[in-house]
Structures are given as C-alpha cells and as structure tokens.
Amino acid sequence: MATRTILTDEDKGLSKKSREVTDFNKRLHILLDDMRETLIEADGLGIAAPQVGVLRRVALIVDTNIEVTSDETAMDEMMVELINPEILSIDGEQSGSEGCLSVPGVNGIVTRPMSVKIKAQDREGNFFEYEGNELTARAICHEIDHLNGELFTAKVERYLTDEEVEEMRQEREEAKRKKP
Ligand code: CO
C-alpha cells in the first residue's frame, strides 16, 4: 500500500466525469488499498478516485455508525468501498458544514438529503445496497458528486469563517467526551 497525492481544485481532472469500472482486477484493488491509506493519513470522511488522478467511478466513505472491534483498526473497519455507486432514493434534508480534502481550509454550509439509499459494487464486482444517514449520507452524496466532476463549493450556501469552524470543532470534541 502507498499513499497517493490528493489533487486540489486547481486540477482540471476534478471537474471531469469519471468512467464506470468494468474490470474488477488487481489494478482496482491496488487503487482501493492506496485510497484507504491516503484517506487514513488525511483523516477525512471520504475520498473519490478522481481526487488521486484516476477518472474511474470508485469512492470510499467512512461510516461512523459501523461498530468496530478495536480502536487501532477503527478507521479501516468503518470504511466502505463503493464502485459504480448509484443513488436509488433520497429522503429528508440536512443543512450543515462540509469540507473537502481537495479544497483545503474551506468549509461551507451545504444542504444534503438526511438519508440516501444507493446500490454499488464491491471490489470483486458483487452488487450490494447501502443506506447512509446524517453524516454518512452527506459523505456518500459528496463523493458521488466527485465522480460526476462536481465540487461541494458549487453547492455552498454560505462559507464559514475560521472562528466558526473552530467553534464547531470544539462542539464536536465536547460531544465526543460526553458519549458514554
Ligand atoms: Co471532496
């Protein structure tokens, strides 16, 4: 496994539509393994292949609702690999802060569905359905947008100041500590 460089929004590839994956081969597996390592290092909630310069419909999201067996492997256990993901249905609405590894230092308010049902394929090509709620729904929609060449900045209703971002971070930390 190796980490790959995350492209920033100055790279034209990020505004291109990615192509479907048809070969579930070793090359795909290496890409997925590298994306996993890259996402862990970047400490993000999701990453899409075009962000590492590969215009294929491959994405990874972190679903914090997945129960993990150990703290050490938590990030790895919470990651869901989505190949050729397609939205089947959406429900509700949420408005909240969003950022992107390709747009460092920028956070803004984006409205997303509260829950989303998708179908996708795993690394062997098997189809499965998945449902994400709240933050996971946000991450899934954000990553599928990447596969269509869309950045979250196109959907930002209001950008957040550094102070607001810091406040939200502290609130999250506080909420974590209160968890039993
Ligand atoms: Co992003």
Side-chain angles (χ1 to χ4, degrees):
M1 283 208 281
T3 58
R4 300 201 187 187
T5 305
I6 298 173
L7 303 177
T8 62
D9 52 342
E10 282 148 37
D11 194 284
K12 286 196 180 76
L14 285 181
S15 54
K16 288 184 182 149
K17 201 174 151 104
S18 291
R19 286 178 300 152
E20 210 169 294
V21 172
T22 50
D23 296 323
F24 295 80
N25 53 18
K26 183 90 199 259
R27 203 183 163 86
L28 172 71
H29 296 177
I30 292 171
L31 171 67
L32 282 163
D33 290 343
D34 287 356
M35 283 171 64
R36 294 178 85 94
E37 196 169 324
T38 306
L39 184 58
I40 289 173
E41 192 188 65
D43 195 22
L45 278 179
I47 190 168
Q51 289 181 279
V52 294
V54 178
L55 292 174
R56 288 288 180 174
R57 303 187 79 78
V58 174
L60 274 185
I61 56 119
V62 176
D63 186 342
T64 52
N65 296 313
I66 293 174
E67 280 192 38
V68 300
T69 56
S70 107
D71 275 356
E72 252 169 60
T73 55
M75 264 293 269
D76 220 32
E77 291 185 57
M78 288 189 291
M79 274 194 260
V80 185
E81 299 177 349
L82 304 174
I83 323 292
N84 301 325
E86 267 177 61
I87 291 176
L88 297 174
S89 66
I90 56 172
D91 193 35
E93 210 175 73
Q94 57 172 324
S95 229
S97 169
E98 201 166 307
C100 177
L101 296 174
S102 291
V103 195
V106 175
N107 286 271
I109 301 293
V110 180
T111 300
R112 298 284 190 186
M114 186 51 97
S115 73
V116 57
K117 273 202 191 90
I118 58 167
K119 71 165 187 180
Q121 283 164 281
D122 66 15
R123 59 165 68 203
E124 308 301 337
N126 303 307
F127 283 93
F128 66 97
E129 289 189 9
Y130 202 79
E131 188 177 334
N133 298 299
E134 297 177 41
L135 201 53
T136 307
R138 180 177 291 284
I140 289 171
C141 293
H142 179 112
E143 299 315 327
I144 290 178
D145 278 356
H146 271 303
L147 304 181
N148 294 325
E150 292 167 21
L151 287 177
F152 86 109
T153 43
K155 295 183 172 169
V156 167
E157 291 143 37
R158 182 175 73 80
Y159 285 99
L160 298 173
T161 64
D162 290 349
E163 287 77 23
E164 285 176 308
V165 173
E166 178 58 21
E167 249 170 55
M168 282 180 172
R169 195 189 62 79
Q170 283 178 5
E171 273 169 27
R172 271 200 307 275
E173 289 294 311
E174 194 70 16
K176 256 192 231 166
R177 270 202 297 275
K178 279 182 188 154
K179 259 191 192 169

